[in-house]
Amino acid sequence: MKVNHSNNIRVRFAPSPTGELHLGSARTALFNYLFAKNNQGKFLLRIEDTDTERSQKVHIEQAINSIKWLGFKPDEEIVFQSRRSKIYKKYLNLLLTSGKAYRCFASKQELQLIREKTNSFQYNGLWRNRSDEEINEQLELGSPYTIRLKTPNEGHIVFDDLIYGKIRVSNSEIDDFIIRRSDGSPVYNFTNVVDDHDMSISHVIRGEDHISNTPKQLHIYQSLGFENPFFAHLPMILGEDKKKLSKRHGAESVESYRDKGFQSGPLINYLALLGWNPGTNEEIMDLTQLISKYDLQKVQKKSAVFDSKKFSWVSSKYLLKQDPNTILQSIRSLDPSWGGNKTEDFCMRVIDLMTPRCNFIGDIIKKSHYFFDYPKVYNVDDQKKVWKEKTAIILKDIMKLYEKVDCQDHQGLEVLFKEYIQSSGHGFGQVMKPMRLAICGSLTGPSLFNLMELIGIEDFLKRINIYKNKFNDD
């Protein structure tokens, strides 16, 4: 079996635009990109849009935009299969004239009868050795036909998968499979081989669900006289229940993660760790580091499990490593109105307070609303826990306490609070919790005194008063 031994590394990512780009596809794109860049090779993008019924323009755009957002810039112009029909026809005719393929005029009814008779879905070669006269007769009648590859009846097809090792399949298990449908359209296995050859792909890196396609594709390579690329099949990504990853596991499309405020860096970082590791305990790596450390031989055979909590942890670590200005730019690109009319310095301080408490950019946006305006609603469960018989009196005391002071820094504000706790005899939670609920609308948030310092005493007192009046009247 001929193999391409060229040192010119060329890989491709070839999504079918029949839906949004999911995490499994994104990891395949990532592993192709890392392998190419680690070996000073080229990363190419091909859109496999020959399925006109299922391929949609919106999904083509989503796939291209998702790859761009992830940072995987193709090194050459994007290839669209839908624009290559003449090329496929050329190679189909080549196989027909060389006798490596033939026209099959068997109807669906005939094929069904064969399956029932043989108790097998394998094609029995009904039109494999028909005469030119019989074939021309059907052509003159305008009978529909498929084109099938003439595969060997004996022997084996063997290939060395770079991850799974040697794979051997008996040719008796592979029938004369269809390479062109009766409507004239070429099938996936055929276009895949032609495109990979024309694009000079050296390594085909894809999901393990394509292993079953590889023997058929190798027969097409041989029939066309093409050199075979190397093959590497990646293990599946599973949900925590060990079933194939899907939305029910909390995994969404790449575009959904982007729109929710996740950054591409931590998503790439986490996807890289699904089925691969650098051989060290290092877990937080940017794209440049991943490229330098990537080794295809370290990809595991065992399926990887998507852990949403681990992904959130990776994302939080990424967030902590970024400077506030970078985070602010990311926030504004997602929500230009964030921060309202507050100064940039104010917004930066919000980011400083919230970053240690958040996992991703969208998390900061969602949890920081109370910095810019008083709460319009209060958490119902928290309110039930907090409001007691003496709460209104305590809040009046707090307002009096802070109305008279000049200090504005968080340390001074905290000292006053502790002095009040000591002198009043109230418990810490009796005072702190209603204060926090009045400011934030819930019992979660950063240091209360840092928050008071930032929004200012006037705003703080206003929020306490609004909250007190709302529930004291109730």
Side-chain angles (χ1 to χ4, degrees):
M1 184 181 292
K2 290 183 291 184
V3 177
N4 185 351
H5 289 286
S6 170
N7 291 323
N8 185 20
I9 302 296
R10 290 171 65 87
V11 301
R12 71 354 182 229
F13 174 58
S16 298
T18 55
E20 295 181 312
L21 194 74
H22 55 78
L23 292 185
S25 295
R27 188 195 61 169
T28 298
L30 171 63
F31 280 21
N32 273 278
Y33 187 82
L34 295 178
F35 177 73
K37 297 308 168 184
N38 179 267
N39 290 281
Q40 295 76 50
K42 291 190 175 182
F43 169 80
L44 310 181
L45 177 61
R46 182 172 75 228
I47 304 297
E48 300 196 334
D49 55 347
T50 53
D51 188 340
T52 54
E53 289 185 8
R54 298 178 62 207
S55 296
Q56 297 182 31
K57 184 179 179 181
V58 63
H59 292 142
I60 293 174
E61 293 173 350
Q62 286 173 340
I64 294 172
N65 290 335
S66 294
I67 292 300
K68 181 179 179 181
W69 178 71
L70 289 169
F72 311 152
K73 184 180 178 181
D75 292 303
E76 294 177 7
E77 188 176 344
I78 299 173
V79 174
F80 293 86
Q81 284 192 336
S82 58
R83 302 173 188 175
R84 292 173 53 79
S85 57
K86 290 183 179 179
I87 295 170
Y88 303 138
K89 287 180 181 178
K90 180 186 77 172
Y91 285 112
L92 283 168
N93 288 331
L94 182 65
L95 289 174
L96 285 172
T97 56
S98 67
K100 301 290 180 63
Y102 59 93
R103 295 178 179 88
C104 174
F105 294 91
S107 65
K108 289 183 179 179
Q109 292 77 14
E110 285 180 291
L111 293 173
Q112 182 59 34
L113 286 172
I114 292 170
R115 288 167 186 161
E116 291 174 0
K117 187 175 181 179
T118 61
N119 196 29
S120 170
F121 278 89
Q122 275 203 322
Y123 176 69
N124 68 348
L126 182 64
W127 279 85
R128 180 179 173 113
N129 297 311
R130 295 297 182 101
S131 65
D132 291 343
E133 184 179 346
E134 289 176 286
I135 292 171
N136 289 331
E137 181 182 347
Q138 293 298 320
L139 289 174
E140 288 174 8
L141 290 172
S143 301
Y145 64 89
T146 60
I147 296 178
R148 293 178 178 271
L149 191 75
K150 190 178 287 186
T151 59
N153 295 321
E154 299 176 346
H156 295 80
I157 195 83
V158 182
F159 66 99
D160 289 311
D161 189 276
L162 297 178
I163 294 171
Y164 286 90
K166 183 167 286 189
I167 296 177
R168 181 186 181 94
V169 178
S170 173
N171 285 329
S172 63
E173 298 177 24
I174 306 170
D175 62 5
D176 290 353
F177 56 91
I178 293 171
I179 56 176
R180 195 212 73 160
R181 303 179 186 91
S182 58
D183 63 4
S185 62
V187 302
Y188 164 79
N189 281 323
F190 181 76
T191 58
N192 198 273
V193 169
V194 170
D195 290 339
D196 284 344
H197 170 75
D198 283 4
M199 295 168 70
S200 299
I201 299 302
S202 65
H203 292 72
V204 174
I205 304 171
R206 56 191 180 184
E208 68 174 6
D209 52 325
H210 286 286
I211 288 179
S212 60
N213 290 320
T214 308
K216 291 182 177 181
Q217 291 174 3
L218 287 171
H219 278 303
I220 297 172
Y221 275 104
Q222 290 178 354
S223 297
L224 287 169
F226 295 163
E227 286 187 329
N228 304 325
F230 293 101
F231 289 94
H233 291 90
L234 308 174
M236 289 181 66
I237 301 178
L238 306 177
E240 292 180 45
D241 59 0
K242 303 302 171 65
K243 295 181 179 179
K244 188 175 180 181
L245 186 67
S246 66
K247 285 186 177 181
R248 62 189 170 85
H249 296 110
E252 301 182 54
S253 68
V254 172
E255 196 169 60
S256 295
Y257 280 106
R258 182 200 66 190
D259 293 344
K260 286 185 176 181
F262 285 92
Q263 295 174 292
S264 60
L267 183 58
I268 290 169
N269 189 159
Y270 182 65
L271 288 177
L273 298 175
L274 294 179
W276 172 86
N277 69 73
T280 66
N281 294 325
E282 197 171 2
E283 292 186 291
I284 306 303
M285 295 166 279
D286 61 24
L287 187 56
T288 301
Q289 291 171 312
L290 288 170
I291 289 171
S292 68
K293 298 175 185 294
Y294 191 77
D295 183 351
L296 193 62
Q297 291 183 343
K298 290 180 180 176
V299 174
Q300 302 161 7
K301 296 178 184 179
K302 186 179 178 181
S303 296
V305 175
F306 178 83
D307 183 340
S308 56
K309 291 181 180 178
K310 182 63 178 288
F311 172 45
S312 292
W313 177 82
V314 170
S315 184
S316 69
K317 294 300 180 184
Y318 246 83
L319 209 55
L320 287 171
K321 291 176 70 175
Q322 296 177 57
D323 65 89
N325 188 56
T326 300
I327 294 174
L328 179 60
Q329 290 175 10
S330 297
I331 291 174
R332 290 273 166 79
S333 66
L334 192 65
D335 182 4
S337 66
W338 185 81
N341 58 1
K342 296 293 185 181
T343 65
E344 187 165 311
D345 180 65
F346 184 97
C347 293
M348 291 289 211
R349 292 176 67 187
V350 172
I351 289 170
D352 282 336
L353 289 174
M354 292 303 296
T355 297
R357 307 185 64 84
C358 294
N359 294 327
F360 58 103
I361 296 296
D363 212 14
I364 295 177
I365 295 173
K366 182 180 179 181
K367 294 179 179 178
S368 62
H369 58 89
Y370 53 80
F371 282 92
F372 311 108
D373 197 5
Y374 68 90
K376 300 298 189 294
V377 294
Y378 301 89
N379 184 285
V380 176
D381 293 333
D382 289 345
Q383 171 59 19
K384 289 178 181 178
K385 296 176 186 175
V386 165
W387 195 268
K388 306 295 180 183
E389 185 180 346
K390 296 181 179 180
T391 301
I393 297 171
I394 291 172
L395 292 175
K396 283 182 183 179
D397 289 347
I398 289 297
M399 290 181 68
K400 289 178 182 178
L401 176 69
Y402 285 107
E403 277 173 348
K404 300 175 182 179
V405 299
D406 294 326
C407 70
Q408 297 288 330
D409 65 277
H410 65 274
Q411 290 144 327
L413 296 172
E414 186 173 3
V415 168
L416 286 172
F417 173 83
K418 289 179 177 178
E419 289 176 352
Y420 172 74
I421 293 291
Q422 191 170 13
S423 62
S424 67
H426 297 308
F428 186 90
Q430 280 182 289
V431 184
M432 174 70 81
K433 288 181 179 179
M435 285 174 64
R436 180 176 290 283
L437 194 56
I439 296 174
C440 305
S442 72
L443 294 179
T444 60
S447 162
L448 183 64
F449 305 104
N450 286 110
L451 182 53
M452 288 168 62
E453 177 186 320
L454 183 55
I455 65 175
I457 291 299
E458 184 179 346
D459 193 348
F460 162 70
L461 293 173
K462 178 182 176 182
R463 295 186 188 203
I464 294 289
N465 194 46
I466 291 172
Y467 173 68
K468 176 179 67 68
N469 292 338
K470 177 177 175 63
F471 291 102
N472 196 30
D473 291 339
D474 290 348

